[in-house]
Amino acid sequence: MTTGELSPAHEAQTLPESLRETLAGRYYTDRDIFRAEQDEIFHKNWFCSVLAADLERPGRFETVQIGRESVIVTRGRDGKVNAFLNVCRHRGARLCTEESGEVRRSFQCPYHAWTYGLDGKLVAAPNLTAMPDIDKVSYGLHRVHVREWLGYVWLCLADRPPSFDETVIGDVTTRLGSPDAIVEYGVENLRLGRRISYDVKANWKQIVENFMECYHCATIHPELTEVLPEFADGLAAQYFVGHGAEFGEQVQGFTVDGSAGLAPIPGVTADQDRRYYAITVRPQVFINLVPDHVVFHRMFPLSPERTLVLCDWLYLPEVVDSGADIDKSVELFHRVNQQDFDACERCQLAMDSRSYDRGGVLVPSEHHIGEFHDWVRERVG
Ligand code: FES
Ligand code: FE
């Protein structure tokens, strides 16, 4: 082969019909683009933060990173979940540095001891009585919008949040064909069986794109394609509206070796039985539904090249309480996660290469990822 037959790295190529272009490599490494994504995507959309059941009682709190903001999510005395920017109103010290914990009745700033109630109101400060003109509400913590859905606390940093129905529930509807198709699983009544966190050295969009396609399934997911044989054809469940991938004939359950799963979720309909559904809720949630459990991923983009993924395996409370062995069921998606995140890290390595200056290409079974790229471009340019 002469070098004349190879295309130089920077040269534009006309795309054949079957290919679409991806985002250019800099979208996965550039600090300015990442900052624009924080401003225009993570600070403006609903963001899934914590499992509500992890805030078991008033005073329990978790801190989460949303874009450039640290947020305290906590349960108030009235049982409702509140969220506040984790910034003291005096001189800005970070109030809580722990990832989670419990306070008795207030959050006290470790710097000059301004103290805030579980409702965010300023309740005490040294010499506060000498400053009677300070309004305790207007000098309370800055509130973040809160919505509970599927047992999770969703937050929005925007002053005027977008419609939850049109964005979050809209994404579920687009994928499942109906907003009710997820209701049968009663996700909010399920209980945490296992949580695994993955520190992935890849841009968050690599992870979203990977979740959206199954062109890679035959190559990297031997266990998953055994359980869901149609995935070996390369078309992800997300390729079709309302489609659930069917379990193989010999497969008894969604487990690493196809052995029987746990007690089925009662609301799951006959149509949904023995099927796997996957849903991406932009920008950072990936939900998997199978008859006996739900696998719920939350992504926390930490830098252009690093994303924390928390993955929860949720079962019926009686399954968790009985101490049933969930290992085989957890192991299947844990392996899938490891296989996927390895692939994402492998791609991330090339994002700064001049070979990827103009990006790569999407084959027809990946063309729907182009819509996600358009969604990103519309927001960050
Ligand atoms: Fe918090 Fe001063 S910065 S009390
Ligand atoms: Fe995968």
Side-chain angles (χ1 to χ4, degrees), residues 76-348:
R77 303 219 150 275
D78 57 1
K80 292 216 182 80
V81 174
N82 296 309
F84 310 104
L85 297 184
N86 190 5
V87 177
C88 178
R89 294 298 308 284
H90 174 221
R91 296 249 307 284
R94 180 160 288 197
L95 277 179
C96 298
T97 49
E98 306 91 333
E99 281 178 13
S100 63
E102 184 164 342
V103 293
R104 281 193 55 194
R105 56 172 68 94
S106 58
F107 294 97
Q108 187 173 66
C109 179
Y111 196 1
H112 314 89
W114 278 35
T115 304
Y116 305 89
L118 299 181
D119 58 1
K121 226 194 273 176
L122 179 65
V123 290
N127 309 331
L128 189 61
T129 45
M131 301 175 273
D133 53 340
I134 294 185
D135 180 71
K136 291 183 176 168
V137 173
S138 52
Y139 281 89
L141 298 174
H142 283 130
R143 251 180 204 282
V144 173
H145 296 278
V146 173
R147 173 89 187 244
E148 279 190 53
W149 192 57
L150 302 180
Y152 284 83
V153 179
W154 303 68
L155 306 177
C156 186
L157 293 169
D159 291 338
R160 276 193 297 277
S163 153
F164 193 88
D165 287 0
E166 282 169 25
T167 55
V168 175
I169 298 178
D171 276 2
V172 174
T173 308
T174 303
R175 165 67 191 97
L176 296 180
S178 146
D180 303 328
I182 199 167
V183 173
E184 286 89 353
Y185 292 81
V187 187
E188 62 283 3
N189 302 320
L190 302 181
R191 176 110 30 103
L192 183 68
R194 187 79 49 86
R195 173 173 296 151
I196 300 180
S197 71
Y198 304 86
D199 194 341
V200 187
K201 311 273 177 307
N203 183 275
W204 66 279
K205 298 188 294 301
Q206 296 274 5
I207 301 173
V208 174
E209 292 157 13
N210 169 82
F211 277 146
M212 292 178 81
E213 54 98 353
C214 206
Y215 191 43
H216 66 267
C217 289
T219 333
I220 70 171
H221 294 320
E223 301 88 356
L224 185 65
T225 45
E226 275 294 314
V227 173
L228 307 173
E230 66 184 80
F231 271 15
D233 299 337
L235 293 178
Q238 307 213 37
Y239 184 82
F240 309 98
V241 174
H243 177 71
E246 201 168 4
F247 292 6
E249 262 175 46
Q250 310 300 321
V251 169
Q252 293 177 278
F254 197 75
T255 54
V256 72
D257 56 2
S259 57
L262 288 309
I265 298 167
V268 169
T269 64
D271 289 352
Q272 294 165 327
D273 194 23
R274 295 183 57 76
R275 283 182 186 269
Y276 160 91
Y277 296 85
I279 307 144
T280 305
V281 181
R282 293 167 297 185
Q284 45 85 246
V285 172
F286 181 57
I287 308 168
N288 310 271
L289 308 169
V290 288
D292 63 334
H293 65 283
V294 170
V295 187
F296 200 107
H297 296 73
R298 287 166 282 158
M299 282 182 278
F300 298 83
L302 300 180
S303 80
E305 300 178 275
R306 185 175 167 217
T307 308
L308 179 72
V309 184
L310 295 182
C311 184
D312 291 346
W313 280 259
L314 306 164
Y315 300 85
L316 288 172
E318 50 269 37
V319 167
V320 177
D321 289 346
S322 71
D325 186 357
I326 58 171
D327 285 353
K328 283 188 172 172
S329 136
V330 170
E331 184 63 17
L332 175 54
F333 226 90
H334 174 51
R335 285 197 200 176
V336 170
N337 282 339
Q338 288 176 313
Q339 292 154 352
D340 280 332
F341 300 151
D342 278 355
C344 293
E345 292 184 348
R346 184 179 286 252
C347 289
Q348 185 68 34

Side-chain angles (χ1 to χ4, degrees), residues 50 55 61-64 71 73 96-101 308 310:
V50 312
L55 306 172
F61 71 87
E62 289 200 16
T63 52
V64 291
V71 180
V73 193
C96 298
T97 49
E98 306 91 333
E99 281 178 13
S100 63
L308 179 72
L310 295 182

